[in-house]
Amino acid sequence: MAINKFKLAIGFIVAGVLTVSFGLVLLFVGPLIIDDQIVKNTVIDPNNDLSYTMWRDIPVPFYMSVYFFNVLNPKEILNGEKPMVEQRGPYVYRKRCQKDNITFHPNDTVSYREYRQYHFEPSMSVGNESDVVTIPNMLVLGAAVMMENLPYAVRLMISATFKTFNEGPFLTKTVGELMWGYDSGLVDFLNKYLPGMLPSTGKFGLFAEFNNSNTGLFTIFTGKDNIRNVHKVDSWNGLTELNYWRSHQSNMINGTAGQMWPPFMTKESTLPFYSPDACRSMELVYQRPGDFKGVPLYRYVAPKTLFANGTDYAPNEGFCPCRQSGLLNVSSCRHNSPVFISHPHFYNADPVLLDYVQGLSPNEEEHGLFIDIHPQTGVPLNVSIRLQLNLYMKRVSGITETGKISEVVMPMIWFEEKGYIDGPVLTTFHTNLVILPAVMEYMQYGFIALGLATILLASLAHYRLKRSSRNAAFTSNVIDEPRASNNEPVKGSHDHDTQEKCNMTNSER
């Protein structure tokens, strides 16, 4: 019976060792299995139903919120006074994106065009598209700056043309007209006699060229040959380098198309992407960790150097001619119109820009842009891209519409494009990339703990059995010795009896 107990204890020890070994194997192999699944599901491949569908048709709603800077003192501005503005909005539009003309190539790249549509969402907006606002007239004030170096006589003719078509320095139009276009005799005239001067051949509006348009022909890597390259841009409209800027570095097309990034990101990773709307590549930097509805994330934000001028940040010299830090001159890709991009309310910009305009109050929470990324997969969980459109305006002699306007970078609108994963997509994401890895991790340590506990208990039981066996053997030996003296004569006892007999004999004598 004892032998069976010994064998059972040893069996448990062996089982415990095997359990610990299995747990240690899982400890090293488990992450490799998870990483392998991530790689398989991250590659752009029609066979990957979930990830391919997410890439082709973004399954989460995206919204664009537009805020107008309504000009409160247009007459005073023409007399040289400081502009006063008030923010109006948001006017919210649901953004629909869909990739088309998807073509896979033998070199592990895929080409596509992404089409976008915007639909007004009254329930999410503060006001309607029929609201009336006043903003600077880009056709007049922008053209004035563009023409300031032409002969004085030409400038007089331009001013006369403005008067002919009843175009003044400021526009008072509905939100819908300013966004998607309005009829203008001047626009028709320019398109007829100066074709190519304006970005649109139809109605003139701030977003007229965006709706029902595409972002150009992107060719990106599928990640099949190297997962580190997945989503990275190979070319845009056939170009591997831009021609808008003054340096090779500024013209580089870096990073992804701005929707997904390669997996296995670290805190040292950056978030580079190419934006056709900004006409350049941009790069966000790590700020902090966090979580989004239970899913771990890294938050990436724009560094202060993103829109810094060449004086404050030498690598940006190629984006000049520059003005104050915080402004990106996009005139080279906007038909030479004096248009600048910045963060809303001149957040992270030179404070002097705030001194030129009344009514601005920048803060990070409302005006900083960010992208929250799931670092293991490179999939954005929560996105908020915020940018502001500004017009550089000044007095130009000969063009009387400019009056005595002081030189100023005038904010016109700012917009926020945001979206986040939710619903069934988030549930699937959370299950596959959070719960299952966590279960596997718990299993690893569970097997190790169970195995160690089994070894410990079995070893203790084995020790007790062994000790009990030794005690039993010792007790048996002690009990067996007296039994042996009863069966055999003891030397001392025999001598004593003999002596007794001798004494009795002598006594008798």
Side-chain angles (χ1 to χ4, degrees):
M1 185 68 178
I3 294 175
N4 290 337
K5 289 183 178 180
F6 272 115
K7 289 183 178 179
L8 184 63
I10 292 172
F12 272 110
I13 292 173
V14 172
V17 171
L18 293 176
T19 304
V20 170
S21 301
F22 184 66
L24 290 173
V25 169
L26 278 182
L27 189 64
F28 293 100
V29 175
L32 296 178
I33 295 173
I34 294 172
D35 289 351
D36 183 62
Q37 289 301 311
I38 288 174
V39 168
K40 288 181 180 178
N41 288 304
T42 304
V43 172
I44 301 175
D45 187 340
N47 294 323
N48 296 337
D49 291 336
L50 177 63
S51 58
Y52 181 74
T53 302
M54 285 182 63
W55 171 78
R56 185 190 62 196
D57 301 313
I58 299 176
V60 299
F62 260 80
Y63 296 94
M64 181 176 70
S65 300
V66 180
Y67 299 82
F68 284 84
F69 290 104
N70 183 49
V71 178
L72 299 177
N73 60 338
K75 292 182 179 179
E76 289 77 7
I77 294 173
L78 291 174
N79 290 325
E81 295 185 19
K82 183 183 294 188
M84 294 178 59
V85 298
E86 66 171 356
Q87 180 176 289
R88 300 278 295 275
Y91 298 94
V92 182
Y93 297 84
R94 184 185 178 96
K95 182 181 180 181
R96 165 76 174 167
C97 296
Q98 185 175 11
K99 293 178 177 64
D100 203 357
N101 302 327
I102 299 173
T103 306
F104 286 86
H105 305 292
N107 64 342
D108 296 320
T109 61
V110 58
S111 299
Y112 65 90
R113 291 183 183 273
E114 184 169 88
Y115 291 84
R116 52 192 176 183
Q117 293 179 329
Y118 296 91
H119 302 279
F120 185 61
E121 293 283 351
S123 62
M124 302 175 67
S125 304
V126 179
N128 294 300
E129 284 191 306
S130 58
D131 292 350
V132 175
V133 295
T134 299
I135 64 170
N137 189 344
M138 289 181 63
L139 290 174
V140 173
L141 298 180
V145 173
M146 294 168 63
M147 308 294 182
E148 66 173 330
N149 294 323
L150 294 179
Y152 186 75
V154 175
R155 281 179 268 151
L156 288 174
M157 291 178 58
I158 292 171
S159 182
T161 303
F162 290 151
K163 291 179 176 61
T164 299
F165 291 102
N166 198 28
E167 292 284 352
F170 292 93
L171 282 174
T172 300
K173 298 281 187 183
T174 66
V175 168
E177 289 175 317
L178 294 174
M179 285 289 295
W180 311 117
Y182 57 92
D183 293 317
S184 168
L186 177 60
V187 171
D188 295 336
F189 174 82
L190 292 175
N191 283 330
K192 182 176 181 179
Y193 295 102
L194 296 172
M197 181 178 177
L198 298 177
S200 175
T201 56
K203 295 182 177 182
F204 183 79
L206 297 175
F207 283 83
E209 60 179 308
F210 284 75
N211 205 9
N212 298 312
S213 66
N214 67 80
T215 54
L217 180 64
F218 273 96
T219 301
I220 65 174
F221 290 97
T222 63
K224 189 174 182 180
D225 60 333
N226 184 353
I227 199 61
R228 299 288 181 182
N229 290 331
V230 66
H231 299 294
K232 288 186 178 180
V233 178
D234 180 45
S235 66
W236 176 73
N237 283 341
L239 302 173
T240 56
E241 187 173 303
L242 305 172
N243 54 12
Y244 299 133
W245 312 107
R246 297 169 51 189
S247 73
H248 168 70
Q249 182 177 349
S250 300
N251 279 316
M252 291 175 65
I253 298 177
N254 298 323
T256 72
Q259 294 178 340
M260 295 183 185
W261 282 264
F264 313 124
M265 303 180 70
T266 67
K267 294 178 181 179
E268 287 70 38
S269 302
T270 58
L271 222 60
F273 63 97
Y274 171 65
S275 170
D277 297 330
C279 308
R280 59 165 287 190
S281 296
M282 296 191 283
E283 190 170 43
L284 307 188
V285 296
Y286 172 84
Q287 184 191 52
R288 62 171 176 81
D291 72 89
F292 180 76
K293 299 185 178 180
V295 181
L297 61 82
Y298 285 170
R299 171 159 290 190
Y300 288 82
V301 298
K304 290 185 177 181
T305 56
L306 182 62
F307 295 142
N309 61 25
T311 302
D312 292 341
Y313 185 62
N316 282 354
E317 183 65 36
F319 296 116
C320 292
C322 299
R323 298 192 61 79
Q324 295 87 351
S325 278
L327 299 172
L328 173 66
N329 187 347
V330 292
S331 59
S332 59
C333 66
R334 288 290 181 266
H335 303 272
N336 293 318
S337 179
V339 175
F340 290 80
I341 289 177
S342 69
H343 295 301
H345 287 246
F346 295 130
Y347 170 70
N348 265 353
D350 191 322
V352 73
L353 294 170
L354 292 174
D355 295 335
Y356 292 156
V357 181
Q358 295 182 23
L360 305 179
S361 55
N363 64 81
E364 181 180 6
E365 183 178 352
E366 292 182 280
H367 306 129
L369 65 83
F370 67 85
I371 297 178
D372 291 338
I373 293 283
H374 182 251
Q376 274 191 295
T377 60
V379 174
L381 303 174
N382 188 21
V383 176
S384 180
I385 302 297
R386 299 159 174 163
L387 294 173
Q388 180 171 297
L389 190 65
N390 311 279
L391 181 68
Y392 172 59
M393 58 189 199
K394 60 188 289 189
R395 177 184 177 274
V396 177
S397 62
I399 301 180
T400 57
E401 284 74 14
T402 61
K404 299 178 182 178
I405 294 177
S406 299
E407 187 175 345
V408 63
V409 178
M410 185 72 175
M412 295 195 299
I413 64 168
W414 74 269
F415 59 92
E416 173 188 28
E417 289 199 349
K418 61 182 177 181
Y420 57 88
I421 290 181
D422 203 359
V425 176
L426 180 64
T427 301
T428 303
F429 201 91
H430 187 267
T431 301
N432 293 338
L433 298 172
V434 178
I435 295 179
L436 291 182
V439 169
M440 182 168 285
E441 184 177 359
Y442 291 141
M443 285 176 61
Q444 297 163 5
Y445 295 112
F447 277 119
I448 293 173
L450 178 62
L452 291 174
T454 302
I455 293 172
L456 181 62
L457 293 174
S459 299
L460 185 61
H462 182 270
Y463 171 75
R464 287 182 175 179
L465 286 171
K466 196 170 184 180
R467 185 177 179 183
S468 176
S469 177
R470 286 177 179 174
N471 290 340
F474 178 76
T475 303
S476 176
N477 290 335
V478 171
I479 294 173
D480 287 346
E481 281 188 16
R483 289 180 180 175
S485 63
N486 290 333
N487 298 327
E488 298 178 4
V490 179
K491 182 179 180 181
S493 177
H494 176 73
D495 291 344
H496 179 73
D497 291 343
T498 304
Q499 185 64 38
E500 289 266 354
K501 289 180 180 180
C502 290
N503 290 338
M504 290 178 63
T505 303
N506 290 335
S507 176
E508 290 174 356
R509 289 177 181 175

